[in-house]
Amino acid sequence: MPSMYLQPADYATFGVPNATVGQVTQASALVDAYLRRPDGLMWSPDANSVPAFMAGKNPDFTFALPTAIAPGNAVPVTLPVPPADLNIQSGDVILLDRATANACEAVVVSGISGNTLTFRKVQFAHAQGATMDTGMVVTEQLYVPTERPVVRLSQNPTARVISGAGRFGYGRRGDAGTSLMDDFNLLASLSQFGGPPLWEVFDPTVGSLDRGTGQYWMPSSVYLAYYSEVRIHYVAGFSYQALPTIVKNACAALISASSTSSILQGGLKKYQAGDTSIERFADTIFDQDTKAQLAPYTAKGFA
């Protein structure tokens, strides 16, 4: 479902007592577009009240559990189609029972064999027919700087890193010997004769996350070498209760601006009847105050 940065109980508080759900949805979508955050600013919790998925996302694919599953480690589940056809890979996050408050959880794919996924750990029992949703978290694929096992996530505050996977690649020209690993070992042999290792799933809790900046220090691999490239699956933003007032203010300001931008109500610098011309003060309903309020939450880009 789309982002909703105002709930009916707050309409009057933020000066838009007659707002409609459609207006709030439209204003929230404009906020997301301005922030370059298509996944939105809000997360939703699992059955333990832990951040589990992005509230403003729609699933890429939804399936029904073919059989009931019980809590445990290395739990297998078979899909009706090959996971490769859906671009599901080891390390991806699947959301189970999204609509069931006391059973919702995000699980990590630790292995794939044919049409069968293996979930690293399942906390709750799930009945046959329970939903399985893919694509409900933020996913970023990042290159790791030479000699520094650290990346910076673009969307913050980062609420939770749910899963991570890394792989090795060849260093750039002139980087030989600077990869903090022995170039004449098993890894080097595999790279020459068998290709580099595939994605290796790692435990994200072993790393260190700065929630405010999104800086994430990663663990080393099973080869005791640092990854060249990583794929991080995480949840960022706020619950609605913790959503900053300035974001709600911005949403309300956009609703007010859109409702007063008609020809007769304002928002125009010049209206000329002869040889009709209309000139607005700006080609956007985002004023400078609204932009300043939203600036801290803009998605960051790093080279």
Side-chain angles (χ1 to χ4, degrees):
M1 59 179 295
S3 299
M4 298 285 284
Y5 296 134
L6 277 180
Q7 292 184 357
D10 290 330
Y11 289 177
T13 302
F14 289 90
V16 285
N18 299 316
T20 65
V21 171
Q23 288 176 316
V24 173
T25 301
Q26 201 171 42
S28 300
L30 288 173
V31 169
D32 287 345
Y34 176 75
L35 296 177
R36 302 194 300 275
R37 295 181 69 154
D39 301 325
L41 268 173
M42 293 196 308
W43 52 259
S44 290
D46 62 12
N48 291 322
S49 299
V50 173
F53 65 99
M54 300 302 295
K57 290 203 71 161
N58 291 317
D60 292 338
F61 300 99
T62 298
F63 302 97
L65 267 178
T67 59
I69 57 176
N73 297 320
V75 177
V77 170
T78 300
L79 297 183
V81 293
D85 291 351
L86 309 176
N87 198 31
I88 296 176
Q89 305 177 59
S90 293
D92 283 1
V93 175
I94 306 290
L95 190 67
L96 301 178
D97 264 327
R98 175 163 51 114
T100 308
N102 62 354
C104 176
E105 65 175 310
V107 297
V108 177
V109 177
S110 61
I112 300 174
S113 178
N115 283 27
T116 301
L117 305 178
T118 299
F119 296 151
R120 175 191 288 165
K121 181 180 180 180
V122 175
Q123 297 184 64
F124 308 105
H126 299 277
Q128 181 180 5
T131 58
M132 298 189 297
D133 296 322
T134 68
M136 294 300 293
V137 297
V138 182
T139 297
E140 292 186 7
Q141 191 163 318
L142 305 164
Y143 289 103
V144 182
T146 303
E147 299 184 357
R148 283 191 303 151
V150 61
V151 292
R152 186 161 300 203
L153 306 175
S154 69
Q155 301 187 28
N156 52 69
T158 307
R160 177 190 174 197
V161 175
I162 300 177
S163 173
R167 67 179 176 184
F168 303 98
Y170 295 104
R172 301 181 66 181
R173 288 176 296 177
D175 284 345
T178 63
S179 56
L180 296 183
M181 65 181 178
D182 183 1
D183 287 337
F184 301 96
N185 59 9
L186 176 60
L187 174 60
S189 299
L190 288 171
S191 297
Q192 290 295 328
F193 300 105
L198 299 177
W199 289 101
E200 173 187 310
V201 182
F202 60 81
D203 182 358
T205 61
V206 178
S208 177
L209 172 67
D210 184 327
R211 297 181 185 278
T213 65
Q215 181 172 276
Y216 181 63
W217 288 83
M218 294 162 297
S220 62
S221 72
V222 294
Y223 297 104
L224 299 182
Y226 294 124
Y227 300 110
S228 306
E229 188 177 7
V230 292
R231 187 186 296 122
I232 308 295
H233 306 274
Y234 67 101
V235 175
F238 311 88
S239 64
Y240 183 79
Q241 291 72 22
L243 189 67
T245 300
I246 56 177
V247 176
K248 297 178 181 180
N249 275 335
C251 184
L254 290 175
I255 293 172
S256 297
S258 64
S259 63
T260 59
S261 61
S262 70
I263 293 177
L264 298 179
Q265 290 180 308
L268 299 176
K269 183 177 181 180
K270 183 177 70 173
Y271 177 64
Q272 181 175 321
D275 294 328
T276 302
S277 72
I278 299 174
E279 183 179 352
R280 299 182 61 177
F281 283 100
D283 59 358
T284 174
I285 60 174
F286 280 88
D287 57 39
Q288 293 303 316
D289 290 336
T290 302
K291 291 179 179 180
Q293 291 178 67
L294 295 174
Y297 308 109
T298 305
K300 309 299 189 297
F302 303 96

